[in-house]
Amino acid sequence: MIDTLTLRRPDDWHLHLRDGAMLNAILPETTRHFARAIVMPNLVPPVVTGDDAAAYRERILKANPRKGQFEPLMTLYLTEQTDPEDVAMAHASGLVKAVKLYPAGATTNSASGVTNFENVRAVLEKMAEIGLPLCIHGEVVTPDVDIFDREKVFIDTVLDPIRRTTPGLKVVMEHITTKDGVDYARSVDEGLGATITTHHLVINRNHILVGGIKPHYYCLPVAKRETHRLALVEAATSGDKQFFLGTDSAPHLDGAKETACGCAGCFTATNTMSILAEVFEKEGKLDALEAFTSINGPTFYGLPLNEATITLRRGNPVRYPAKIDTENGPVTVFDPQMPLHWSVEA
Ligand SMILES: NC(=O)N[C@@H](CC(=O)O)C(=O)O
Ligand SMILES: [Zn+2]
Ligand SMILES: [Zn+2]
C-alpha cells in the first residue's frame, strides 16, 4: 500500500477569502497547502473594476503570514455596467485572471450580478478576443424551477446559448454538482473547464436533511442525490483535463449559518487535501490526485505548473480543528464524517 505521496503544490481554482477580520483568520488555512487561488470577487461591495481588484489583492498580500509563498489570482465581478475596456486593461496588466458571472440572486452576495445577458454581450466578446476566461455560477434563479434542477436548466437555457453565440469564449463551469454538468463539460473538446468542490465529492442531499437539518452542509449549488455525487467522484478521479479542484471554501460565521435563514457555504480550506486524498484512495485513484489539484487547472488557465511540492503521508487519523476562530466568532470546518488518514507534511 502506498503511504507517501508527493505532488506538485496544489492550487485552488475557486476560493472565497472575504475581507477584514475574516480574511485574516482564514487565509492561513489556504496558504498552508496551496500555492495559488482564484479569488472570488463577491465581497460587499463586489470587486468590479481593475482598481477594486488591485486594492483587494494588496489587502490579501498584507494579510498573508507566508509572504511570497501564495499568489492570489484576482477576478472581476461581472455586472451589467462592466466596462469592456477596464476588463481588457486589468487582463493586459496581468492582474486579473478571470471574470465571474453570477446570475443576480443565485447565491451569496450576487445581487449585483447579471439579469439580462444581452447587457454583458460586449464584455463577453472582448473576453473571447483577449482569451480571458469566464467563471460561471451556473444556476437559473427562475422561481418556478426546482432548486435541485437549477444547474441542469442553466446549462440548457443559458450556458449553451452563451457559448454558441460567443465563439472562442473560455468558460469554467464553477462547482458542478450534477451528472448533467459532468456530461456537458465532457461534450466540448477545448475551452470549457469545470471545477469540482471538496464537499460535493463527499456529501449528497441526505447529509443536509436526514436526521435533522445540518446548516454546515448547506451550500449553493445545493448537494444533489447520490447518483450525481458518484458522477462527480468519477469525473474528479478520471484525470480528464476538463476537471480541476475549486474548493469553493466559503466561510460564514457560525451565527450566520446556525439560524432560521442560514447562509450558503461550506468551509473546507483546512482539511481539503486530506479529504481529497481519502476520496481518491477509496477509488484506487491516488495517482490521479495531482492532475486534479495541480495540473489540469493551470493548464486550462495557461499558467505554469507549480515547481514546489507537498508530501502527504498516510497514518493515524488526522487531527484538525473543528472551528477556526475569528475576531467576530468561530467558523465551523467542514466535517466529512469519516476519519482522514492522509496528513500534509509541514
Ligand atoms: N457556494 C456557496 O454556497 N456560497 C458562496 C457563493 C458561491 O460560490 O456561490 C459564498 O460566497 O458564500
Ligand atoms: Zn457559486
Ligand atoms: Zn463560491
Side-chain angles (χ1 to χ4, degrees):
M1 187 196 261
I2 308 174
D3 60 4
T4 60
L5 191 61
T6 296
L7 314 173
R8 285 180 190 272
R9 219 171 159 76
D11 301 308
D12 186 345
W13 301 94
H14 180 136
L15 177 67
H16 298 272
L17 287 177
R18 313 302 193 203
D19 215 342
M22 182 66 93
L23 168 65
N24 289 327
I26 57 108
L27 182 60
E29 301 305 299
T30 285
T31 60
R32 193 174 293 132
H33 301 154
F34 290 86
R36 298 172 289 195
I38 285 276
V39 180
M40 289 296 133
N42 63 332
L43 305 181
V44 191
V47 178
V48 174
T49 65
D51 285 349
D52 296 341
Y56 185 31
R57 181 170 181 277
E58 287 310 311
R59 298 200 294 282
I60 295 167
L61 292 178
K62 191 156 168 251
N64 182 13
R66 294 179 185 82
K67 298 286 178 232
Q69 284 189 42
F70 174 73
E71 193 188 350
L73 307 173
M74 307 311 292
T75 63
L76 299 180
Y77 186 121
L78 182 61
T79 73
E80 292 184 16
Q81 286 75 45
T82 293
D83 172 9
E85 288 314 314
D86 181 62
V87 171
M89 264 163 49
H91 170 68
S93 72
L95 171 69
V96 156
K97 300 291 187 245
V99 171
K100 180 68 190 267
L101 165 65
Y102 294 98
T107 187
T108 308
N109 304 335
S110 61
S112 314
V114 176
T115 303
N116 181 351
F117 288 85
E118 275 314 303
N119 293 338
V120 295
R121 173 126 304 282
V123 183
L124 300 186
E125 272 160 16
K126 176 58 81 178
M127 290 170 63
E129 180 192 320
I130 64 181
L132 180 60
L134 179 70
C135 297
I136 302 186
H137 179 111
E139 290 190 287
V140 293
V141 293
T142 330
D144 59 359
V145 175
D146 189 277
I147 192 163
F148 291 98
D149 299 332
R150 287 178 173 198
E151 180 169 299
K152 177 179 169 31
V153 174
F154 185 90
I155 292 168
D156 296 340
T157 65
V158 183
L159 175 58
D160 195 59
I162 286 182
R163 290 194 47 262
R164 285 178 195 284
T165 49
T166 326
L169 181 66
K170 281 177 96 169
V171 171
V172 185
M173 302 167 71
E174 295 297 329
H175 47 42
I176 56 169
T177 59
T178 58
K179 178 165 190 309
D180 310 276
V182 169
D183 291 345
Y184 189 76
R186 282 210 170 108
S187 72
V188 178
D189 272 348
E190 286 300 324
L192 182 63
T195 56
I196 300 177
T197 76
T198 308
H199 49 283
H200 288 117
L201 294 175
V202 175
I203 62 167
N204 62 37
R205 61 198 200 177
N206 279 14
H207 291 81
I208 314 170
L209 296 170
V210 172
I213 192 158
K214 314 290 191 325
H216 294 292
Y217 293 141
Y218 173 62
C219 65
L220 289 169
V222 70
K224 308 297 191 297
R225 59 171 67 240
E226 179 66 1
T227 47
H228 293 293
R229 187 190 71 84
L230 292 173
L232 298 173
V233 170
E234 186 281 321
T237 61
S238 67
D240 289 356
K241 65 176 184 181
Q242 292 92 330
F243 303 108
F244 37 95
L245 174 64
T247 65
D248 192 22
S249 181
H252 293 276
L253 294 174
D254 280 358
K257 296 223 27 116
E258 299 167 4
T259 180
C261 184
C263 293
C266 296
F267 179 68
T268 56
T270 306
N271 51 8
T272 276
M273 289 309 297
S274 297
I275 296 173
L276 292 175
E278 200 77 29
V279 169
F280 278 63
E281 180 183 45
K282 284 207 169 86
E283 297 301 306
K285 291 288 181 62
L286 275 174
D287 56 345
L289 183 58
E290 187 179 43
F292 183 63
T293 62
S294 319
I295 295 175
N296 296 348
T299 304
F300 180 89
Y301 276 89
L303 294 170
L305 307 187
N306 295 318
E307 289 303 330
T309 59
I310 59 165
T311 296
L312 293 141
R313 205 171 285 283
R314 198 179 202 292
N316 293 329
V318 179
R319 294 160 64 89
Y320 53 86
K323 293 174 192 286
I324 302 296
D325 283 316
T326 82
E327 247 173 54
N328 300 313
V331 172
T332 291
V333 174
F334 179 76
D335 173 7
Q337 293 189 7
M338 59 180 168
L340 304 176
H341 300 91
W342 291 89
S343 55
V344 183
E345 282 195 346

